Amino acid sequence: MSKPRVFSGVQPSGALHIGNYLGAIRNWVRMQDGNECFFCVVDAHAITVPQDPKRLRALTREIAALYIACGVDPERTVIFVQSHVPAHFEMTWIFNCITPLGWLNRMTQFKEKAGEQREQVSAGLYDYPVLMASDILLYDTDYVPVGEDQIQHIELTRDIAQRFNYLFGETFKLPQAIVQRAGARIMSLDNPEKKMSKSSESPMGTIDLLDEPDAIRQKIMRAVTDSLREIRFDESRKGLYNLLTIYELLSGQSREEIESHFAGRGYAELKRELAELVAESLRPIREKYREIMKDPQYIEDILARGAEKANAIAQQTLRRAKERVGLG
Ligand code: AQP
């Protein structure tokens, strides 16, 4: 019996942060046991908004190296770059031609990202979810581990697969989203109303995986909380709740244990302990990353091997789809 397939990816649109780690990559690492995993650096998604070409290429390698530094094992898992597999682009065109505009109009991430600039943003940003559907469906994926913000896109992926299967006969497997509830949405430290984001303009809101301990301390000590005193998990106190969630996920302690540990103590103590916990938790990732980057060819080789494996599977699926549609 073949193992279930898992697909996921991150855009090289900025430095990876603990939201990406706790909401996505940490789960990927766990899912390597018992599944066949494909983890992609989705550079074609990143260019849906303007990127500096040199920085984009460097970030693509940095993120692949960080996957490995976080525990993704290149011997068991396929790590590759989206643009190294042209089938993603061809598949997207076919899906574009069967996806009603009304479905895309409902995508909340586009509305959030486009905001007031709706008439100026690229068609690529609007079409982002269809490219994502191609990423997933090309690999006959069973499970897609994502943060909460991506659930709607996975539902759209299923809708596109079902529509294709209805129009042209059974071709695509319907994937399922895997969302770990705690950590599914880590919020910005300086504006806990907004999620922590790679492309955020405020560096104080985001803890990058490669941040040095001093930067981590500074950001956490300045994190926005409230003027209340009691330290407990209360979703309505967003800043505090976010800090406690990060503490919970990195310490592995239960909420009761954490609340009793901080009973009668102040926010400054919580922040100090959290800063040490984050700095210590990220230390091995930072160190492994530095080790990996001493030899840039190592990453190039892993990505070349990954592209070869991914291309072989994606080409087969694309051929099947083209045949069904009558292309060629
Ligand atoms: N704040 C977050 N909390 C939990 N999970 C998160 N993810 C992103 N931000 C958080 C999860 O990380 C994966 C990578 O996402 P992506 O690169 O496709 O883009 P994104 O979701 O749009 O991530 P960012 O960091 O906010 O990047 P930008 O600023 O470029 O848009 C996904 O699984 C996501 O759910």
Side-chain angles (χ1 to χ4, degrees):
M1 273 257 302
S2 59
K3 291 179 183 171
R5 282 226 178 114
V6 171
F7 181 97
S8 202
V10 167
Q11 304 179 67
S13 46
L16 281 192
H17 52 76
I18 53 165
N20 298 132
Y21 177 63
L22 296 173
I25 299 168
R26 202 166 79 141
N27 304 333
W28 300 1
V29 172
R30 294 178 181 150
M31 290 186 89
Q32 293 180 113
D33 293 328
N35 296 296
E36 185 188 5
C37 296
F38 292 75
F39 297 135
C40 187
V41 184
V42 288
D43 55 348
H45 275 102
I47 61 164
T48 54
V49 296
Q51 303 289 346
D52 172 68
K54 245 173 112 174
R55 182 168 175 266
L56 178 67
R57 205 163 285 124
L59 271 174
T60 298
R61 271 80 189 159
E62 175 180 312
I63 287 178
L66 273 171
Y67 286 179
I68 298 169
C70 289
V72 175
D73 176 1
E75 298 307 318
R76 288 195 282 168
T77 288
V78 180
I79 301 173
F80 71 104
V81 177
Q82 186 182 29
S83 65
H84 293 176
V85 183
H88 291 240
F89 303 114
E90 287 186 69
M91 197 66 250
T92 300
W93 182 252
I94 297 173
F95 285 153
N96 274 338
C97 296
I98 63 151
T99 302
L101 279 184
W103 290 5
L104 294 182
N105 287 338
R106 287 203 292 273
M107 294 299 111
T108 52
Q109 192 182 67
F110 174 75
K111 290 181 198 158
E112 278 164 26
K113 289 204 171 178
E116 308 274 290
Q117 306 295 313
R118 220 185 144 84
E119 297 297 312
Q120 279 79 44
V121 294
S122 73
L125 188 66
Y126 185 70
D127 202 35
Y128 179 113
V130 182
L131 177 58
M132 182 164 163
S134 304
D135 300 339
I136 297 165
L137 297 175
L138 276 171
Y139 298 93
D140 291 327
T141 300
D142 295 283
Y143 303 117
V144 191
V146 283
E148 214 167 41
D149 53 320
Q150 294 292 335
I151 295 176
Q152 195 186 32
H153 289 163
I154 309 299
E155 280 162 6
L156 181 84
T157 299
R158 291 169 60 89
D159 289 342
I160 291 174
Q162 264 172 321
R163 188 172 170 88
F164 190 102
N165 290 347
Y166 170 76
L167 292 171
F168 302 108
E170 205 57 29
T171 310
F172 292 104
K173 200 180 237 184
L174 300 193
Q176 272 177 43
I178 304 279
V179 184
Q180 177 209 13
R181 290 288 154 190
R185 203 167 163 84
I186 301 295
M187 308 309 280
S188 161
L189 296 183
D190 62 355
N191 179 1
E193 297 291 330
K194 282 174 62 182
K195 78 163 187 149
M196 193 177 280
S197 197
K198 276 184 248 102
S199 49
S200 150
E201 269 148 34
S202 150
M204 290 309 284
T206 306
I207 299 175
D208 294 341
L209 293 188
L210 295 175
D211 272 349
E212 294 293 338
D214 280 348
I216 294 172
R217 284 185 201 109
Q218 206 185 23
K219 289 176 185 181
I220 292 180
M221 293 313 289
R222 287 208 206 153
V224 169
T225 46
D226 52 49
S227 53
L228 300 173
R229 296 181 67 89
E230 199 191 353
I231 295 181
R232 63 185 168 83
F233 284 85
D234 173 352
E235 284 193 57
S236 68
R237 292 160 67 189
K238 293 203 166 82
L240 174 66
Y241 185 79
N242 192 38
L243 296 182
L244 287 172
T245 302
I246 299 171
Y247 192 99
E248 179 190 13
L249 290 166
L250 291 177
S251 69
Q253 291 173 20
S254 71
R255 294 188 167 194
E256 295 71 37
E257 283 171 322
I258 296 168
E259 285 177 347
S260 87
H261 177 70
F262 287 109
R265 298 165 73 191
Y267 286 175
E269 280 178 88
L270 164 66
K271 287 178 171 180
R272 259 195 303 275
E273 278 197 32
L274 178 64
E276 293 319 309
L277 178 63
V278 173
E280 273 316 300
S281 308
L282 298 187
R283 184 185 304 281
I285 296 175
R286 232 178 16 250
E287 287 174 357
K288 178 128 195 239
Y289 172 82
R290 285 205 198 104
E291 196 55 43
I292 292 169
M293 289 311 256
K294 279 185 192 156
D295 176 12
Q297 194 53 43
Y298 172 74
I299 287 296
E300 295 303 333
D301 291 346
I302 284 172
L303 295 179
R305 249 194 302 145
E308 199 179 318
K309 287 189 193 150
N311 264 306
I313 298 167
Q315 271 305 331
Q316 258 182 26
T317 318
L318 179 68
R319 211 173 302 127
R320 205 163 71 210
K322 279 172 136 176
E323 221 165 79
R324 293 271 153 87
V325 175
L327 290 178

